Amino acid sequence: MSRLTLALDVMGGDIGPRITIPAVLIALEKNPNLSLLLFGDKQQIDPLVCQFPKSLTSRLTIHHCHRIIENEHKLAYALRHSKGTSMRLALESVQSGMAQGCVSAGNTAALMGLAKILLQPLNNIHRPALVSVLPSVQGGKSVMLDLGANIDCDKDTLYQFAVMGAIFAENSLNLVYPRIALLNIGSEDIKGYKSIRETAELLQKNSRLNYIGFVEGNLLLNNVADVIVSDGFVGNVALKTLEGAAKNMMLLLKGDSSPSMFKPLLDYAKKCLFKQSYQRLQTINPDQYNGASLLGLRAVVVKSHGSANTLAFANAIASAAQQVQQNMPQKILTGLEQYL
C-alpha cells in the first residue's frame, strides 16, 4: 500500500489540540502508511507531540499558524478573513498537492465555502454534500446525505445527492445496486415538499438507480435503505437527534446517575437483562462513525464534529485516509458520467 499524506486543521473543534493531537497518535499507530501535516499553533502542539515515539514523529510535519476561524464567525466574514488560518492553510496544502486530503473539526460553513473555492467541485456538480455512514441495529450500514451543507435543495440537487450517495455506498460499503430512499414525513407518494416529490419522479425514471421510495425518520437505523437522501436542514436535525438518543441511551444503560449504594445491584441486573441490547447499542456509538465527507469535491475533505473526542477525531482521520486510498473523488466523477 502506497504512503498517503493528510492535512489536519488541529485547531478546529471545541477543544483543539488537546483532542486532535492525541487523535493523531492513534491514527499514526493504526496506519503505518500515513503521514500527517499539522496546521496550528506550534506552542500548543509541541508539548503534546514531544511525548510521541520518534518512529511516529518522523511522519509528522508541523506548520505553525496562530490564526483560526472561530465557530461563531459567519460565512462571509470567515471567508474574507481566512488568510493564514489553520483551516485555510490545511486546504491550501491539498490544493498544492502537498496532501491528498484534509480533516477539520472547525466551522462547517467556512470549511465548505473554502473547500469549494480552493479545491472546486467536480464537473457538473451543483453543490457538494456532507455524507456520513449510519449503523443499523441489525448490523448493516447506510449512507446518508446531505447532513448540513445545503439547507435549501431543489429536485436536481437532491437527485445529484442520490447519485453521489449510490456511488459512495458502492465503494465504501461494497454494495451492488444500492437501495436509495428519500427521507420524508410519510411513505405515501403525496407526502412531503414539492421538491421531494419531484426528486422521486426523477429517480423512478432512471432504471440504473435502485430507488425504493420514501423512508420515515423512525427507520433510519433499521437498514431499510442503503442510501438515504434529504436536504441539509432535515438531514442535520435527524442526525443530531439520532446521536443524542444513542448517547443518552448509553448513559441510561451505564447507570452513571444511579445512587452509589444501589449501583452494583443495578449494574448486575443490566448485565443479565440487557447484555445483548447494550452490546448492540455500543455498535452504534456515534464516536465510531464520526466524520462527514464533503462529497462532490476534487479532493477528499472530512468534517469532524466540533465536540468530537479523541477516538472520534481519530476515526475521522481514518475515514479520510480510506477515501484517499479508494480514490473516491475520481470514482464519484466516473460514476456521475454513468448515471447522469
Side-chain angles (χ1 to χ4, degrees), residues 267-286:
D267 286 345
Y268 178 77
K270 283 181 288 189
K271 182 178 180 180
C272 296
L273 298 176
F274 303 113
K275 181 179 179 181
Q276 186 174 5
S277 298
Y278 181 68
Q279 289 176 339
R280 187 177 299 173
L281 189 60
Q282 284 183 310
T283 67
I284 60 174
N285 185 342

Side-chain angles (χ1 to χ4, degrees), residues 3-319:
R3 184 169 294 279
L4 62 94
T5 301
L6 297 178
L8 304 188
D9 167 20
V10 298
M11 305 305 292
D14 297 344
I15 301 178
R18 285 180 292 161
I19 288 294
T20 57
I21 299 304
V24 164
L25 176 61
I26 296 174
L28 292 174
E29 288 177 335
K30 288 187 175 181
N31 189 342
N33 298 300
L34 179 64
S35 295
L36 297 173
L37 309 180
L38 309 183
F39 292 85
D41 185 349
K42 201 170 186 295
Q43 291 185 343
Q44 296 185 51
I45 297 171
D46 280 346
L48 299 168
V49 169
C50 71
Q51 302 175 38
F52 288 15
K54 289 185 178 180
S55 60
L56 298 183
T57 55
S58 63
R59 291 191 272 140
L60 289 178
T61 304
I62 300 173
H63 296 267
H64 174 71
C65 50
H66 65 276
R67 298 191 64 234
I68 64 173
I69 295 176
E70 301 286 355
N71 286 332
E72 62 268 19
H73 286 165
K74 293 184 178 180
L75 177 59
Y77 179 91
L79 295 181
R80 286 198 306 268
H81 299 84
S82 64
K83 187 175 181 180
T85 61
S86 56
M87 180 186 291
R88 177 159 187 151
L89 290 173
L91 288 168
E92 286 179 345
S93 72
V94 180
Q95 181 188 40
S96 67
M98 291 174 57
Q100 298 150 287
C102 174
V103 182
S104 174
N107 185 311
T108 302
L111 183 66
M112 182 73 175
L114 285 172
K116 287 175 67 176
I117 293 170
L118 297 173
L119 305 180
Q120 300 184 348
L122 295 167
N123 291 339
N124 300 318
I125 288 295
H126 300 162
R127 301 181 188 178
L130 275 171
V131 60
S132 189
V133 175
L134 297 181
S136 79
V137 293
Q138 290 86 2
K141 296 178 181 178
S142 300
V143 170
M144 186 171 174
L145 71 168
D146 178 28
L147 299 177
N150 305 279
I151 302 302
D152 298 314
C153 301
D154 59 20
K155 66 180 188 303
D156 295 323
T157 301
L158 291 172
Y159 180 76
Q160 282 196 347
F161 290 171
V163 172
M164 290 196 295
I167 299 167
F168 188 86
E170 287 172 355
N171 291 279
S172 291
L173 306 182
N174 296 317
L175 297 176
V176 177
Y177 206 44
R179 301 163 297 165
I180 302 170
L182 294 169
L183 181 58
N184 204 346
I185 59 173
S187 59
E188 299 86 353
D189 292 340
I190 61 172
K191 292 290 182 70
Y193 291 122
K194 180 181 179 182
S195 59
I196 294 288
R197 300 195 303 271
E198 290 177 341
T199 305
E201 293 175 2
L202 290 176
L203 292 171
Q204 288 170 342
K205 293 177 182 177
N206 192 340
S207 60
R208 289 172 294 181
L209 295 172
N210 186 13
Y211 175 65
I212 62 172
F214 298 145
V215 62
E216 296 181 69
N218 61 320
L219 297 176
L220 290 179
L221 298 182
N222 291 88
N223 201 29
V224 298
D226 303 307
V227 181
I228 301 168
V229 181
S230 72
D231 63 60
F233 183 89
V234 172
N236 189 272
V237 171
L239 179 67
K240 289 180 178 176
T241 301
L242 289 175
E243 291 173 343
K247 287 184 176 180
N248 286 329
M249 187 62 72
M250 291 283 286
L251 289 173
L252 179 64
L253 290 177
K254 285 180 178 179
D256 290 348
S257 61
S258 303
S260 58
M261 64 181 297
F262 297 111
K263 194 173 187 302
L265 180 60
L266 290 173
D267 286 345
Y268 178 77
K270 283 181 288 189
K271 182 178 180 180
C272 296
L273 298 176
F274 303 113
K275 181 179 179 181
Q276 186 174 5
S277 298
Y278 181 68
Q279 289 176 339
R280 187 177 299 173
L281 189 60
Q282 284 183 310
T283 67
I284 60 174
N285 185 342
D287 293 341
Q288 300 293 331
Y289 295 88
N290 178 53
S293 304
L294 286 173
L295 209 60
L297 295 172
R298 297 177 184 270
V300 173
V301 177
V302 172
K303 169 66 175 72
S304 168
H305 284 301
S307 60
N309 60 26
T310 296
L311 176 60
F313 194 80
N315 286 331
I317 298 172
S319 175

